[in-house]
């Protein structure tokens, strides 16, 4: 049992030492670096896959070390948990010591002040010890020192806020971690694409992708419906940064149970706050509106189809599927160009992100009807099994370019497609991270505490008198500073003043001691010491 | 038109900083020859008379008048450069009709303008002209990079920057950046000076800069100012991120490197209070901190793609 206890004690003292905390901090900093330099799964799964393909030799090893999910990895958690244990181990004893200190009076003045910085001494006549000490005490109290008055000396201290700030800062870091842990348990974040005129209801099935913490349950979702009425965009048309996004504004109608529908606007820096859930505008794109008629002349599909932007000028890819078309089901692979221009060898390209002269380029596929399996299908990709590409009469694959309002009749009487127009879509993110206010509050309080701990000057000042009237004068010890002219036998009393800064990197001690000395009635010149070198 | 004058002012200030730096370099060089009589004079830059009078062989603690004159001229030119520089930043804001902090070019010019103002206050009010050479070196490199590499013409902001936090977050970052850089300069001078003090050979310019202890204190003060402000910068950025992206922390490369920088400076502040780390090791940590800051500013924008990539660069 004994060895275990001493071993645990050893672990604890090692872990809570400043040196260990320093090393852990450094390791945490270094450990965070690969997370910013390598693609990370949570934010960039495609990047990770690309990286693994490009580096088949050592990529898997990096993966085994969790280097593609650094901030979710066990070893990263181990570092910061150790750090916070170390932090708590540092805070507890310091808080206890601090509480003792603020309740107690400052410790008594040292017997001999002459060795302390800023020491000044003089023999004063026509006064007595009590008067001098009264004056000193009044001065010190006006300077907001805590004063310990004894018969022949005063010891004063100020700057307790430094340690207060220090402790507040470190306690707030722990509170922040609790807030983060709380948030990560209950948080959720999901995105959904909503086309103009369509609506999003906050239920799990409506999300395109969704992630949540361990303690999340679907009942946490705030019930609401957001309809996208219209979406305005403005792009830079001037010569500088042409095509850069300048303004996004989504006009939405929000309905919540038991409330009448309200309209509002959703912008990049102005999310909607619905209960605890926040709806943010993350992205946008185009959805061409098409009508597909099948070989029987029936409408097999009609409506907007979400295309995903591929470049900064919104060349967008998408797939139009008409599985119900008869006799053959139909599918189209399309490219939407908001501002179509001829790009030379690379064919048609988009020259500007806004829809100035939109075109829809299509390839067509057909195949026998497929049995409904109910298996989920990627709406952005075309599964070509069972499909054959339609060929035009010259033997090349069908490739058509449609402008709004135009259509194309498929060969062999399979049907037709018309490009009716286009709509915009927005990518909405709904998120809720409880504990955010605890995190924010702790950080702000931590900054405040840090400011105090870095700027408050803890300082101690002392006065010692000896001679007539100084009851209980301690013989020679304090009364005869070497560099003053002691005159104990006369009517004068010897007064010496000095100060001490507990933290280096502080100026102004000499001035503080001089002010105290003059408050005591010493019109003395300072005894300069090495510590008092100006900045 | 206003944008043109802004550019002109920026380029002029970069050239003037270069001139001031040359003068300060000459000041250092002449101080060196003043203390130790060396047969070969160090290369003396513009503004120095070509026929330097041979310094007496005696060791002189006080600088010769020429050293002083070079230093004063350097400071005067820095003042003119600073006025031009600040004018450039203000005109940029006027031309863009917004706070001029929308891209790397605007950020670096603003941050350096803050740095030069702080330096001038230190030099004129507190006699800290000894910062002249390293500060003008920083300004020359920074302003030079700004007008050559980072320059972009005036344009509007992307939607993500339409926010009050744009002003709060970036001015805090620029100010703490300026303070971190000056703090790092003091830390580097501390490293040089403390080594010289240990070896006992305090010569030339090193004998004119303050003691290692004072340099350490100056460095600490700048870091003590910058660190809470940097913490605030990160917090303000997190609040902004909550509004713009619906999460306050997402391990975006810029966020990660802000945290790395923060951690390094936290190590610095703790190291100064830890036996065995005080002094040289702490100063080295401070220098690593400023390298991390610069990497966060340049490296993350240019090498890694993330949410903080605005306007190309």
């Amino acid at each position: 049992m004994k060895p275990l206890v001493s071993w645990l004690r050893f672990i604890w003292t090692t872990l809570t030492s400043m040196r260990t905390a320093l090393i852990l901090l450094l390791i945490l900093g270094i450990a965070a670096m690969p997370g910013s330099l390598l693609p990370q799964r949570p934010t960039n799964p495609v990047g990770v896959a690309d990286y693994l393909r490009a580096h088949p030799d050592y990529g898997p090893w990096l993966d085994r070390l969790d280097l593609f999910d650094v901030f979710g990895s066990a070893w990263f958690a181990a570092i910061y948990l150790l750090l916070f244990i170390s932090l708590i181990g540092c805070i507890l004893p310091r808080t206890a010591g601090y509480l003792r200190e603020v309740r107690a009076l400052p410790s008594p003045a040292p017997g001999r002040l002459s060795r302390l910085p800023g020491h000044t001494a003089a023999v004063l006549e026509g006064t007595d010890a009590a008067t001098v000490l009264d004056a000193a005490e009044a001065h010190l109290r006006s300077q907001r020192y805590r004063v310990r008055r004894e018969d022949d000396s005063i010891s004063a201290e100020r700057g307790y806020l430094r340690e207060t700030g220090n402790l507040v800062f470190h306690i707030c870091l722990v509170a922040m971690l609790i807030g983060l842990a709380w948030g990560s348990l209950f948080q959720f974040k999901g995105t959904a694409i909503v086309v103009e005129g369509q609506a999003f209801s906050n239920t799990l099935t409506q999300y395109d992708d969704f992630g949540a913490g361990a303690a999340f349950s679907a009942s946490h979702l705030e019930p609401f419906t957001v309809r996208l009425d219209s979406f305005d965009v403005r792009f830079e048309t001037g010569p500088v940064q042409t095509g850069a996004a300048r303004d996004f504004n989504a006009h939405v109608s929000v309905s919540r149970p038991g409330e009448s529908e309200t309209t509002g606007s959703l912008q990049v820096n102005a999310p909607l706050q619905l209960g605890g859930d926040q709806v943010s505008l993350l992205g946008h794109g185009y959805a061409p509106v098409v009508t597909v008629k099948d070989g029987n002349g029936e409408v097999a599909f009609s409506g907007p189809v979400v295309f995903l932007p591929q470049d900064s000028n919104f060349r967008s890819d998408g797939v139009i599927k008409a599985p119900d078309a008869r006799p053959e089901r139909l599918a189209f692979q399309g490219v939407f160009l908001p501002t179509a221009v001829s790009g030379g060898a690379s064919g048609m390209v988009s020259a500007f992100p806004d829809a100035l002269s939109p075109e829809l380029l299509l390839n067509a596929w057909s195949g026998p009807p497929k049995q409904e399996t109910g298996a989920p299908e990627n709406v952005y990709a075309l599964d070509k099994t069972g499909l054959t590409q339609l060929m035009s009469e010259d033997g090349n694959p069908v490739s058509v370019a449609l402008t709004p309002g135009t259509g194309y009749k498929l060969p062999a009487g399979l049907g037709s497609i018309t490009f009716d127009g286009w709509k915009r879509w927005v990518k909405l993110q709904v998120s809720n991270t409880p504990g955010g206010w605890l995190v924010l509050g702790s950080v702000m309080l931590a900054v405040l505490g840090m400011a105090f701990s870095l700027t408050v000057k803890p300082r101690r000042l002392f006065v010692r008198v000896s001679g007539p009237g100084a009851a209980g004068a301690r013989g020679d010890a304090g009364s005869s500073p070497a560099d003053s002219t002691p005159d104990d036998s006369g009517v004068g009393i010897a007064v010496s003043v000095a100060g001490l800064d507990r933290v280096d990197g502080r100026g102004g001690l000499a001035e503080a001691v001089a002010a105290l000395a003059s408050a005591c009635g010493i019109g003395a010149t300072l005894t300069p010491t090495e510590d008092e070198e100006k900045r | 038109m206003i944008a043109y004058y802004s550019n002109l002012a920026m380029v002029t200030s970069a050239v003037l900083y270069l001139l001031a730096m040359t003068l300060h370099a000459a000041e250092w060089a002449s101080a060196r020859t003043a203390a130790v009589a060396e047969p070969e004079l160090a290369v003396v830059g513009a503004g120095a008379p070509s026929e330097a009078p041979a310094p007496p062989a005696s060791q002189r603690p006080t600088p010769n008048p020429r050293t002083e004159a070079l230093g004063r001229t350097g400071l005067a030119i820095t003042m003119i450069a600073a006025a031009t520089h600040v004018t450039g930043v203000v005109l940029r804001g006027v031309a863009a009709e917004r706070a001029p902090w929308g891209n790397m070019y605007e950020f670096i010019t603003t941050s350096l303008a803050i740095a030069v103002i702080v330096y001038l206050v230190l030099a004129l009010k507190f006699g800290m002209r000894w910062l002249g050479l390293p500060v003008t070196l920083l300004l020359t490199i920074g302003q030079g990079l700004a007008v050559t590499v980072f320059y972009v013409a005036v344009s509007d902001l992307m939607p993500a920057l339409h926010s009050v936090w744009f002003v709060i977050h970036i001015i805090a970052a620029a100010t703490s950046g300026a303070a971190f850089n000056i703090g790092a300069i003091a830390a580097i001078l501390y490293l040089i000076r403390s080594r010289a003090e240990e070896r006992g050979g305090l010569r030339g310019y090193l004998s004119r800069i303050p003691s290692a202890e004072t340099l350490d204190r100056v460095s600490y003060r700048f870091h003590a100012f910058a660190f809470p402000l940097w913490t605030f910068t990160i917090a303000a950025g997190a609040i902004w991120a909550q509004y713009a992206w619906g999460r306050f922390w997402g391990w975006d490369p810029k966020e990660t490197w802000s945290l790395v920088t923060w951690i390094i400076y936290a190590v610095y502040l703790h190291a100064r209070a830890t036996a065995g780390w005080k002094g040289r090791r702490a100063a080295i940590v401070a220098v690593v901190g400023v390298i991390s800051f610069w990497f966060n500013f340049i490296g993350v924008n240019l090498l890694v793609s993330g949410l903080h990539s605005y306007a190309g660069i």
Side-chain angles (χ1 to χ4, degrees):
Chain A
M1 200 58 209
K2 264 260 169 73
L4 179 69
V5 170
S6 66
W7 186 75
L8 283 175
R9 179 164 297 153
F10 168 76
I11 295 280
W12 178 252
T13 48
T14 308
L15 191 57
T16 56
S17 80
M18 182 74 120
R19 208 165 296 241
T20 312
L22 268 179
I23 304 278
L24 283 171
L25 259 179
L26 272 177
I27 293 176
L28 185 70
I30 294 165
M33 290 177 192
S36 71
L37 303 174
L38 290 171
Q40 298 292 295
R41 278 223 172 76
T43 50
N44 188 4
V46 181
V48 176
D50 289 348
Y51 191 93
L52 284 175
R53 248 195 313 280
H55 306 282
D57 35 2
Y58 60 86
W61 284 100
L62 299 181
D63 203 7
R64 243 162 271 175
L65 294 171
D66 274 340
L67 284 170
F68 297 115
D69 187 11
V70 167
F71 306 112
S73 71
W75 55 267
F76 192 76
I79 298 169
Y80 69 73
L81 286 178
L82 278 178
L83 190 60
F84 272 86
I85 293 171
S86 160
L87 180 59
I88 291 167
C90 178
I91 291 173
L92 291 179
R94 275 185 85 150
T95 308
Y98 171 73
L99 290 177
R100 269 196 305 278
E101 201 174 312
V102 291
R103 280 195 306 236
L105 282 173
S107 49
R112 181 181 286 271
L113 301 183
S114 58
R115 293 216 184 112
L116 296 176
H119 174 245
T120 307
V123 174
L124 301 178
E125 295 188 9
T127 182
D128 59 34
T131 316
V132 170
L133 291 181
D134 281 347
E137 184 174 349
H139 168 75
L140 288 167
R141 289 203 188 278
S142 76
Q143 301 286 309
R144 315 202 22 206
Y145 280 79
R146 294 183 65 202
V147 176
R148 178 190 191 120
R149 169 92 180 251
E150 296 195 342
D151 293 336
D152 60 346
S153 70
I154 281 179
S155 163
E157 185 166 5
R158 65 173 289 173
Y160 290 82
L161 272 180
R162 181 188 186 84
E163 183 68 0
T164 315
N166 203 347
L167 289 171
V168 164
F169 170 70
H170 287 96
I171 291 169
C172 282
L173 285 188
V174 177
M176 185 192 80
L177 188 76
I178 293 170
L180 289 176
W182 175 264
S184 75
L185 275 179
F186 287 91
Q187 59 88 25
F188 73 84
K189 189 163 79 178
T191 59
I193 283 180
V194 184
V195 180
E196 281 175 307
Q198 296 183 351
F200 167 82
S201 290
N202 195 17
T203 54
L204 279 181
T205 52
Q206 297 238 325
Y207 283 100
D208 297 332
D209 71 275
F210 190 84
F216 170 83
S217 94
S219 63
H220 294 164
L221 290 175
E222 192 80 20
F224 62 80
T225 300
V226 173
R227 195 177 72 235
L228 180 65
D229 298 323
S230 64
F231 182 60
D232 299 337
V233 296
R234 192 168 62 77
F235 295 99
E236 179 66 54
T237 50
V240 178
Q241 293 179 18
T242 310
R246 288 297 173 238
D247 215 2
F248 298 143
N249 194 353
H251 301 279
V252 293
S253 303
V254 180
S255 49
R256 307 174 68 179
E259 287 177 27
S260 56
E261 189 177 76
T262 54
T263 58
S265 104
L266 172 60
Q267 293 169 27
V268 174
N269 274 300
L272 293 175
Q273 197 67 44
L274 299 168
D277 295 2
Q278 180 177 311
V279 184
S280 321
L281 177 62
L282 284 200
H284 69 107
Y286 291 97
V289 182
V290 296
T291 304
V292 178
K293 287 187 177 167
D294 63 12
N296 301 336
E298 307 284 335
V299 173
F301 175 85
S302 177
V305 181
V306 171
F307 276 38
L308 298 180
Q310 305 297 315
D311 65 18
S312 59
N313 281 331
F314 283 78
R315 189 186 85 96
S316 307
D317 288 354
V319 172
I320 302 161
K321 297 178 185 177
D324 301 328
R326 295 294 180 269
E328 296 264 272
R329 66 186 165 112
L330 298 172
F332 304 86
Q333 264 187 327
V335 175
F336 178 80
L337 303 171
T339 300
V341 295
S342 171
S346 51
M348 298 296 282
V349 296
S350 177
F352 193 73
D354 208 351
L356 301 180
S357 62
E359 267 188 35
L360 182 62
L361 314 180
L362 293 171
N363 288 327
W365 302 70
S366 71
K370 202 167 85 176
Q371 190 143 22
E372 288 285 339
T373 58
E377 220 180 290
N378 186 343
V379 295
Y380 302 113
L382 184 59
D383 177 10
K384 290 168 186 157
T385 44
L387 290 174
T388 41
Q389 188 161 17
L390 298 184
M391 298 292 170
S392 59
E393 283 143 17
D394 58 7
N396 290 324
V398 163
S399 172
V400 290
L402 300 177
T403 53
T406 62
Y408 174 72
K409 217 178 214 16
L410 298 173
L414 284 169
S416 66
I417 182 166
T418 50
F419 176 28
D420 304 324
W422 51 272
K423 288 186 169 182
R424 296 183 195 275
W425 55 258
V426 297
K427 188 174 184 181
L428 298 182
Q429 173 182 277
V430 183
S431 61
N432 190 348
T433 309
W437 290 106
L438 179 58
V439 174
L440 179 65
S442 328
V443 171
M444 287 306 169
L445 207 54
V447 172
L448 197 68
M450 191 195 303
F452 277 114
S453 85
L454 292 174
T455 53
V456 169
K457 306 173 182 187
R459 173 164 292 160
R460 299 182 67 190
L461 292 176
F462 310 106
V463 183
R464 187 167 277 287
V465 296
S466 65
R474 293 181 189 178
D476 290 334
S479 63
S480 306
D483 50 349
S484 69
T485 46
D487 193 11
D488 288 4
S489 52
V491 286
I493 56 164
V495 179
S496 53
V497 180
L500 187 62
D501 276 355
R502 280 209 276 180
V503 182
D504 64 344
R506 301 291 169 201
L509 178 61
E511 289 82 354
V513 175
L516 176 59
S518 78
C520 294
I522 305 177
T525 53
L526 294 177
T527 320
T529 63
E530 204 182 326
D531 282 355
E532 288 314 303
E533 187 189 340
K534 28 21 321 207
R535 55 183 53 82
Chain B
M1 204 56 200
I2 298 171
Y4 169 77
Y5 285 117
S6 166
N7 298 345
L8 187 66
M10 296 284 197
V11 174
T12 309
S13 73
V15 174
L16 288 174
Y17 285 137
L18 179 65
L19 182 60
M21 185 191 79
T22 317
L23 287 166
H24 282 300
E27 179 196 7
W28 282 54
S30 75
R32 182 160 167 255
T33 56
V36 257
E38 287 181 4
E40 197 62 41
L41 283 177
V43 179
V44 174
S50 52
E51 277 175 287
S58 61
Q59 304 262 330
R60 290 198 306 176
T62 48
N64 63 25
R66 203 184 47 158
T67 304
E68 190 63 19
L70 285 169
R72 280 176 186 280
T73 319
L75 183 63
I77 299 218
T78 310
M79 287 166 69
I80 300 169
T84 324
H85 184 166
V86 171
T87 310
V89 171
V90 171
L91 287 183
R92 177 84 181 184
V94 173
E97 296 175 347
R98 57 175 169 79
W101 308 315
N103 48 49
M104 286 178 85
Y105 170 75
E106 295 173 0
F107 180 85
I108 193 171
T109 50
T110 303
S111 190
L112 290 174
I114 296 170
V116 72
I117 290 168
V118 171
Y119 160 68
L120 287 177
V121 170
L122 293 175
L124 295 171
K125 279 250 171 205
F126 301 98
M128 288 164 75
R129 208 182 69 207
W130 46 269
L131 278 170
L133 179 61
V135 167
T136 48
L137 176 67
L138 172 76
L139 290 166
T140 307
I141 295 174
Q143 231 7 30
L145 281 178
V147 296
T148 53
V149 180
F150 299 130
Y151 176 76
V152 285
V154 170
S155 63
D156 276 351
L157 296 178
M158 59 186 285
L161 296 179
H162 296 173
S163 170
V164 287
W165 294 102
F166 169 63
V167 177
I168 299 169
H169 176 61
I170 298 177
I171 195 68
T175 310
S176 46
F180 277 141
N181 275 288
I182 297 182
I185 286 174
I188 293 169
L189 288 178
Y190 164 82
L191 287 171
I192 298 171
R193 165 95 187 191
S194 71
R195 165 150 298 179
E197 281 180 9
E198 269 167 29
R199 290 183 177 169
L202 275 182
R203 303 186 298 180
Y205 204 85
L206 284 183
S207 61
R208 295 189 61 213
I209 64 176
S211 69
E213 191 195 335
T214 308
L215 288 168
D216 185 46
R217 192 184 303 164
V218 169
S219 176
Y220 170 75
R221 282 189 181 165
F222 275 98
H223 286 107
F225 168 76
F227 185 68
L229 196 58
W230 183 244
T231 316
F232 173 78
T233 304
I234 297 176
I239 297 170
W240 188 5
Q242 176 69 43
Y243 281 107
W245 303 320
R247 88 289 184 289
F248 52 79
W249 192 265
W251 296 108
D252 178 68
K254 189 71 103 182
E255 292 170 351
T256 307
W257 277 93
S258 303
L259 181 68
V260 169
T261 308
W262 187 90
I263 288 172
I264 295 171
Y265 282 116
V267 171
Y268 165 76
L269 290 177
H270 285 91
R272 275 191 97 264
T274 308
W277 283 72
K278 233 175 239 174
R280 298 185 63 83
R281 273 204 213 180
I284 291 169
V285 173
V287 176
V288 173
V290 89
I291 292 171
S292 164
F293 181 90
W294 276 90
F295 180 79
N296 191 21
F297 173 57
I298 297 179
V300 169
N301 281 49
L302 299 186
L303 302 181
V304 195
S305 75
L307 291 166
H308 281 76
S309 315
Y310 302 126
I313 50 175

